[in-house]
Structure formats: structure tokens, C-alpha cells
Amino acid sequence: MSDCRKKSVLLLKGDKKENMDDDLFVSMLSQNGFEVTCIPVLGFQFVNLDLLHKAIYHPDEYSSLLLTSPRAVEAISKAVADKELLHSVWSRKPTYAVGSATQLSAENIGLKVKGSESGNSEQLADFIIKDLSIDSFSSTSSLFPCGNMKLETLPNVLHAAGINVVCMTVYETSANGNLQKCLEEFIKDKGFPEYLVFFSPSGVNFAFPHLQKLGFLGNHDVKHVAIGPTTEKAILTQGEKVFGVAAQPTAQHLCQLLTDV
């Protein structure tokens, strides 16, 4: 077992395109005395953008727009070139989002967002049920552009409340092909981190085989941290203990968790 480097944080996030969000985590943690490294765990490929284009240009067929990741927002941006038109056609329909990162991404393409203070899909579903007009529950559906590895929590909770949801897969998630090489280089340069932070269940599942090979798992000096309860569950399912859970997917909540130790 190798000793870990104190106050060293390894963020296992999405991919390199999430630079703005990464900077928020890196800058806030660095300002609080942590040594931070971000390694991309996932890769993404956009699909069905023609179907998304048609859906976005027919807002009357939907009661609202549901967004649970910056990647879904990026898919909309790729499918709809005219952002002013996007704003105009959806200005009379509510757009709901989880977390500040998704909110910022949505606002950057002209969408006005509600519910971003929700920390996870279940909390967002509760917010939508309270916020959405009862008249729209059965008359139209909510449009949910999502990834192929989405959890069913949001559509299931809304369906149970009588809200129809159209799930449209607009991106596919895969593992970063250079992940093991990146982890090997990290260990060579910096040793094991004190905190290993996971941001999604898919990130956990893709990263764990590589982490097992390289000695991250079973090393009690390395503390596993989860962003949200679904990511926590994925870590526990892999047989590892969870040191702490950030209640919401924000840099502030993660920083507070690590500094309150």
C-alpha cells in the first residue's frame, strides 16, 4: 500500500470539453489549499441530432424541456444553429435543469432555466411536479434529451405523477481510451491522491477496472468521494467505502465537504 499525498485531489470527470466547469472545481479547491488534477474519464458521441432539431422547432408539442447534463445542452446547441430563434420559440415554455453547470450551459445558448438548485434528478422531479401547471400534465409531454446511460429516476417519478416524458437519446457515453495512461502518469508524477472524486455512475463503472489495476482500490489512504447519491451507490456497488457525498454537483459543495473534514 502506498502513502497518499495529503490535500491532493484527483477529479474523475467527463471529458476535456468541460473546461469551464472543470475550472470552477479546480480554482475553488486550489484557493482552499488543495492540489487538484482533473483527468477525463468519459468520451461522448452525439446522435439523433436531426430528431432533436425537429423537436426543438415544435415547442407546441411539449410542455417543458428537461436537462440533466451540460452534454444534453451541447447537443441542442449543435442541433439548432440559430440561438435567437431557440430563445424565442422556447421563451414561453419552462426549461428545467439539474445543477449550476447545466444551468450555465443552458443560459449560454439562450434558455431560461428553473430548478437548477436541485441536487439530483429526484429533487428536480419534485420541483417540476410542483411548478408545472396541472393542465399540461396529460395534454402534452416534457422533452428530455439525454444520454444512452441515463438513469430512469426523472422520467419514472414524473410518469408516476401523470406527466408524460419523451426521452430522446442525443449522445452516447463511452470510456476515455487514454484513461489508464493518464492514471499511470498521475501516479508517477504525484503518487496517490488523498481524495478521489467521482462525478457519475458511468464514470465509476468505466474507471474502476483501471483503478483496480493501479492500486487505487483497497488503499485506505485514498478517500473516495461521490458527487450525489447515485454516484455514491455506484461506488458502494463496486465494494468500496465512500468517504463523503457532495449534496449538489457544484464546486462549492465539494469544497465545503473536503474543508469541513
Side-chain angles (χ1 to χ4, degrees), residues 1-256:
M1 182 182 300
S2 301
D3 293 333
C4 66
R5 188 165 180 153
K6 295 299 181 182
K7 299 210 78 172
S8 171
V9 181
L10 177 56
L11 306 175
L12 298 178
K13 293 187 88 271
D15 70 2
K16 293 180 180 179
K17 293 180 180 179
E18 295 178 338
N19 290 330
M20 179 184 68
D21 192 26
D22 292 346
D23 286 345
L24 294 175
F25 284 90
V26 172
S27 61
M28 183 168 289
L29 288 170
S30 298
Q31 289 168 11
N32 283 271
F34 293 95
E35 179 184 355
V36 190
T37 302
C38 185
I39 292 180
V41 180
L42 307 175
F44 301 94
Q45 180 177 356
F46 294 102
V47 297
N48 298 323
L49 294 185
D50 55 337
L51 297 179
L52 180 59
H53 177 91
K54 293 178 182 178
I56 290 295
Y57 278 95
H58 290 85
D60 291 342
E61 296 180 7
Y62 303 99
S63 59
S64 63
L65 180 63
L66 314 180
L67 302 170
T68 57
S69 73
R71 195 64 53 213
V73 180
E74 186 177 353
I76 293 174
S77 181
K78 288 182 176 295
V80 182
D82 190 340
K83 301 306 179 291
E84 291 186 4
L85 183 59
L86 175 66
H87 172 73
S88 65
V89 298
W90 281 93
S91 61
R92 296 180 297 277
K93 301 281 184 175
T95 297
Y96 300 101
V98 171
S100 58
T102 306
Q103 175 191 5
L104 288 172
S105 297
E107 290 176 347
N108 283 340
I109 64 171
L111 294 171
K112 187 176 181 181
V113 172
K114 291 183 175 185
S116 61
E117 65 278 5
S118 303
N120 54 56
S121 294
E122 186 172 3
Q123 292 175 7
L124 180 63
D126 292 339
F127 179 90
I128 293 170
I129 293 168
K130 295 175 183 177
D131 185 74
L132 201 59
S133 168
I134 190 69
D135 295 333
S136 64
F137 277 26
S138 58
S139 59
T140 55
S141 301
S142 293
L143 177 61
F144 181 27
C146 54
N148 63 315
M149 300 184 72
K150 77 177 188 309
L151 298 176
E152 298 297 331
T153 304
L154 181 59
N156 285 350
V157 174
L158 293 179
H159 278 138
I163 301 175
N164 297 319
V165 178
V166 174
C167 299
M168 183 179 295
T169 300
V170 295
Y171 66 92
E172 295 178 345
T173 305
S174 60
N176 171 16
N178 294 319
L179 178 56
Q180 181 151 330
K181 180 181 178 181
C182 291
L183 291 170
E184 289 172 348
E185 291 176 350
F186 176 85
I187 295 174
K188 181 180 179 181
D189 293 340
K190 300 181 179 181
F192 288 98
E194 181 175 9
Y195 300 103
L196 187 59
V197 184
F198 298 89
F199 284 75
S200 68
S202 56
V204 171
N205 295 332
F206 285 133
F208 259 59
H210 303 289
L211 297 172
Q212 180 71 54
K213 291 179 183 178
L214 297 174
F216 283 87
L217 307 184
N219 183 343
H220 300 295
D221 290 332
V222 179
K223 303 177 179 70
H224 302 295
V225 177
I227 303 298
T230 56
T231 305
E232 176 191 21
K233 183 178 179 181
I235 297 173
L236 294 173
T237 299
Q238 293 284 352
E240 288 291 315
K241 294 181 179 180
V242 176
F243 172 78
V245 181
Q248 294 192 26
T250 68
Q252 181 179 359
H253 282 82
L254 176 59
C255 190
Q256 182 178 353

